[in-house]
Amino acid sequence: MGQSVAMFDFASDLSRFSPLHLPQDRVLKNRVVVPPMASGTADADGKVTERTVEHYRRLAESGAGLVFVEYTYVDQSGKSEAAQLGIQTQGHLSGLRQIAEELRTAGALPAIQLTHAGGKTERDLVGDAMMGPSAVPVPVKDRALEAPRSMDAVDLARWRSAFVAGAMRAHAAGFAMIELHAAHGYGLNQWLSPLTNRRMDEYGGSFANRTRLLIEIVFAIRSAVPDLLLSVRMPGQDFLEGGLSAEEGARLAALLERSGVDLIDVSSGIGGWRRPGDRKGEGYLVPEARRIQDVVSVPVIGVGGIESGEYIDEALRDRSLSLAAVGRAILRDPSLWRRRNLACA
Ligand SMILES: Cc1cc2nc3c(=O)[nH]c(=O)nc-3n(C[C@H](O)[C@H](O)[C@H](O)COP(=O)(O)O)c2cc1C
């Protein structure tokens, strides 16, 4: 009896160097993830430039097993900054194909985050197409945003088909995984949060209604591109009074798992990704990941101020997460990070 418990107690043997098996016979060579980070290197149409390719070649030098390409808009109306990447036409694919190839050559699984900004954007970028679940300004830290127009059934259909088309294009460009950005106050997060979703129809109010659009998009992508791995970046909670609660975050993760999502990437919600005032040290959002990893069996990515391989080993062993995202520490100097933290693999 004791022996069988020991045999199945894999967590004590886990380290940052442990491979992770995913569906579709995909294997991550280690537990380190480069999370999506906007590089501001695209051209005015959202197309990849030489600088973008160079940026990802450099990030891949980190040795991470999974590298996400930054948030990439699926429809012109969902753009949120000037030099942001887009995937809204076939013409965007050749540059993205080059990046996927660079990442694969470096031994990483190539992934890309897909987004629609919803109301977290500005008229200068999207004109009258600024839209969201309700005509409520999205609360952001550093500026006051305009209220978007409330979306109708045609707009909803447009989002669904734009996300599906984006996923199909990402697949065609050679990405093995896409991630839906449903965190940090962007479009899909606005549907989840009672602060920005005040609708009275079947897409607002109850938890089932607020999660409906995201789940419809998950199902639509699953059936259109079944062999593409699917991750969702979701808020553990909104960290704002009256927003998505920690309890709803856990319910959402369980719902995503039941809906066929392969990986759950846990960050923060409305208000953005920065460190909450009362959280100190490495892994400031890892308590959110842990709460989610406790209720799902798909792998969970934890993030937030993670700097060292030793921290990652500890978080894996106490089952707080299955994968650790290291953003700014890798961005500063990817090769140095690899030499310090992955050199003896
Ligand atoms: C320059 C920069 C750009 C970012 N862009 C994105 C993004 O495109 N999508 C996203 O989900 N998060 C984005 N983030 C948040 C990171 O993915 C990550 O969650 C955050 O940096 C915290 O991790 P860290 O402390 O390891 O840097 C960005 C962060 C930085 C520093």
Side-chain angles (χ1 to χ4, degrees):
M1 184 71 175
Q3 199 183 4
S4 68
V5 169
M7 271 176 64
F8 290 102
D9 186 15
F10 294 123
S12 60
D13 296 333
L14 280 180
S15 80
R16 74 201 98 144
F17 301 110
S18 309
L20 180 74
H21 291 259
L22 291 169
Q24 313 292 342
D25 290 330
R26 305 285 189 176
V27 182
L28 303 182
K29 66 179 175 184
N30 58 41
R31 301 303 178 106
V32 179
V33 177
V34 176
M37 287 183 287
S39 64
T41 59
D43 73 12
D45 294 328
K47 290 195 174 132
V48 167
T49 63
E50 251 322 300
R51 279 178 63 216
T52 323
V53 177
E54 182 48 39
H55 176 76
Y56 284 99
R57 192 179 294 137
R58 180 177 171 272
L59 283 181
E61 286 169 9
S62 63
L66 175 59
V67 178
F68 282 99
V69 170
E70 66 206 72
Y71 75 155
T72 300
Y73 56 93
V74 292
D75 186 84
Q76 199 59 38
S77 62
K79 183 171 181 170
S80 48
E81 61 176 293
Q84 188 181 0
L85 283 184
I87 194 167
Q88 73 276 31
T89 74
Q90 292 299 109
H92 286 73
L93 293 197
S94 63
L96 291 169
R97 195 170 281 127
Q98 238 181 304
I99 295 178
E101 187 55 39
E102 290 284 350
L103 297 179
R104 205 183 292 282
T105 304
L109 191 88
I112 183 167
Q113 188 184 51
L114 303 185
T115 183
H116 192 293
K120 191 171 174 178
T121 183
E122 285 163 20
R123 202 165 271 281
D124 286 357
L125 291 168
V126 299
D128 287 340
M130 193 170 162
M131 61 178 98
S134 306
V136 178
V138 180
V140 288
K141 270 197 186 122
D142 45 350
R143 58 209 153 123
L145 294 177
E146 216 180 293
R149 73 170 158 75
S150 172
M151 288 165 65
D152 62 18
V154 174
D155 299 321
L156 277 152
R158 178 171 166 179
W159 278 36
R160 279 190 291 265
S161 58
F163 274 107
V164 172
M168 291 170 77
R169 290 192 190 107
H171 185 243
F175 287 93
M177 180 188 294
I178 61 123
E179 176 170 270
L180 295 173
H181 195 358
H184 305 169
Y186 290 99
L188 292 172
N189 192 171
Q190 292 155 31
W191 287 86
L192 300 174
S193 177
L195 290 171
T196 41
N197 182 346
R198 310 267 176 85
R199 294 172 79 97
M200 310 290 275
D201 62 4
E202 71 271 37
Y203 288 91
S206 67
F207 173 81
N209 286 355
R210 281 180 282 118
T211 55
R212 191 179 305 282
L213 178 63
L214 175 59
I215 299 301
E216 284 175 354
I217 291 171
V218 165
F219 277 114
I221 290 174
R222 267 268 161 266
S223 81
V225 243
D227 56 344
L228 185 66
L229 294 172
L230 181 51
S231 169
V232 173
R233 193 164 221 196
M234 58 160 280
Q237 55 183 307
D238 270 339
F239 284 112
L240 282 180
E241 180 95 32
L244 190 84
S245 65
E247 188 263 326
E248 283 193 333
R251 279 176 74 190
L252 172 61
L255 176 61
L256 290 170
E257 179 174 45
R258 286 200 301 281
S259 307
V261 162
D262 301 298
L263 196 60
I264 298 182
D265 184 0
V266 180
S267 188
S268 46
I270 301 273
W273 55 264
R274 285 174 183 78
R275 182 187 292 268
D278 59 338
R279 302 274 176 97
K280 307 230 177 311
E282 280 192 77
Y284 60 80
L285 290 176
V286 169
E288 311 303 304
R290 188 192 174 110
R291 207 175 39 251
I292 303 296
Q293 189 69 90
D294 280 348
V295 297
V296 297
S297 47
V298 290
V300 166
I301 305 178
V303 70
I306 301 176
E307 302 256 336
S308 65
E310 291 73 25
Y311 176 88
I312 297 171
D313 291 346
E314 268 174 45
L316 285 164
R317 285 174 193 149
D318 78 8
R319 298 171 193 265
S320 292
L321 42 72
S322 300
L323 290 162
V326 181
R328 287 162 295 177
I330 282 182
L331 194 57
R332 278 196 291 276
D333 191 336
S335 319
L336 180 65
W337 197 89
R338 176 176 46 75
R339 287 199 301 281
R340 283 192 179 151
N341 298 285
L342 289 172
C344 48

